[in-house]
Amino acid sequence: KAGVTQTPRYLIKTRGQQVTLSCSPISGHRSVSWYQQTPGQGLQFLFEYFSETQRNKGNFPGRFSGRQFSNSRSEMNVSTLELGDSALYLCASRDSGGGKETQYFGPGTRLLVL
Amino acid sequence: TQLLEQSPQFLSIQEGENLTVYCNSSSVFSSLQWYRQEPGEGPVLLVTVVTGGEVKKLKRLTFQFGDARKDSSLHITAAQPGDTGLYLCAGHAGGTSYGKLTFGQGTILTVHP
């Protein structure tokens, strides 16, 4: 099976702009989670989607939002970008059946906000 | 808030040495994963442990989940330069969705030839 894919891999934006990142999970996986990774804070949970519904949300401001489509692909959006939003954004998918405890990560989208 | 304390943060050793990375919490975790991450890439799963006291081996890597499911360790025997990378522990706290992982801060391992 193909792994988790994320697009784009790299992105440069300026403060105040908005950005949309895309994630395609492993075929058959219905759960998609998003994480932000920074040198100072490490990996932090943003939100999880399952069957087009948000199941969990981390402690991030409302500028961070997401959605999931019927084919399980997911997008996350960040509005009114701030310098501190520069990070590696990681998407992970998991099977809801056997092995449901395990998440598989994509390569990430590196976002730089200038 | 469930926290995972990972230690040490940095480890620099010579090829052939053994090492252990620790992951500790005051909370109980229903499962715990270890990942390895290369610069600019996503974490790659090494192992998942779900049973207290469980020990899993992956070639030269040995993973242990504490009896109380509050701690875990990763032991590498005869480290090689190819083992260099960021090692992360991550767990699902009891009562939370499996889609929400809590991560340790990571251990940056450098193995010198």
Side-chain angles (χ1 to χ4, degrees):
Chain A
K1 282 185 180 178
V4 178
T5 59
Q6 292 187 245
T7 56
R9 290 294 310 275
Y10 305 93
L11 208 47
I12 299 176
K13 293 286 187 179
T14 56
R15 278 184 303 173
Q17 287 187 311
Q18 74 166 17
V19 67
T20 299
L21 312 181
S22 181
C23 171
S24 292
I26 292 172
S27 177
H29 287 191
R30 292 162 61 192
S31 168
V32 173
S33 298
W34 288 89
Y35 295 83
Q36 181 196 65
Q37 186 175 27
T38 60
Q41 299 298 319
L43 268 143
Q44 293 186 291
F45 173 79
L46 280 158
F47 27 66
E48 178 199 8
Y49 285 87
F50 183 86
S51 293
E52 303 178 65
T53 302
Q54 187 180 89
R55 259 193 178 177
N56 270 297
K57 191 176 191 306
N59 292 327
F60 280 83
R63 300 185 297 106
F64 292 81
S65 63
R67 60 177 175 168
Q68 187 179 34
F69 302 95
S70 58
N71 62 358
S72 294
R73 190 177 69 85
S74 178
E75 289 181 347
M76 69 162 281
N77 184 79
V78 188
S79 62
T80 318
L81 283 166
E82 299 177 1
L83 296 179
D85 296 333
S86 294
L88 181 66
Y89 289 89
L90 292 159
C91 162
S93 77
R94 68 181 181 91
D95 192 350
S96 54
K100 60 184 180 296
E101 309 88 0
T102 300
Q103 292 187 34
Y104 298 90
F105 284 82
T109 294
R110 172 75 64 183
L111 172 64
L112 177 62
V113 181
L114 301 175
Chain B
T1 303
Q2 295 85 11
L3 294 175
L4 277 170
E5 299 288 336
Q6 197 172 332
S7 63
Q9 285 190 53
F10 302 94
L11 205 47
S12 180
I13 61 172
Q14 293 296 126
E15 183 176 1
E17 292 184 7
N18 301 332
L19 66 112
T20 303
V21 179
Y22 299 93
C23 187
N24 296 292
S25 176
S26 57
S27 303
V28 174
F29 284 84
S30 55
S31 70
L32 199 137
Q33 283 85 51
W34 284 91
Y35 292 89
R36 179 167 163 244
Q37 186 178 19
E38 301 284 350
E41 297 294 328
V44 175
L45 178 73
L46 296 174
V47 77
T48 298
V49 285
V50 296
T51 305
E54 185 175 4
V55 177
K56 282 191 173 180
K57 292 193 175 184
L58 184 66
K59 296 183 181 178
R60 294 176 293 101
L61 278 61
T62 301
F63 305 86
Q64 187 162 2
F65 201 12
D67 291 340
R69 290 184 291 141
K70 292 183 178 181
D71 59 274
S72 181
S73 64
L74 156 61
H75 182 78
I76 301 179
T77 304
Q80 299 176 0
D83 295 328
T84 293
L86 172 65
Y87 288 82
L88 294 157
C89 65
H92 296 106
T96 65
S97 163
Y98 286 118
K100 180 179 180 181
L101 279 173
T102 298
F103 278 85
Q105 283 295 94
T107 296
I108 297 175
L109 171 65
T110 304
V111 182
H112 302 280

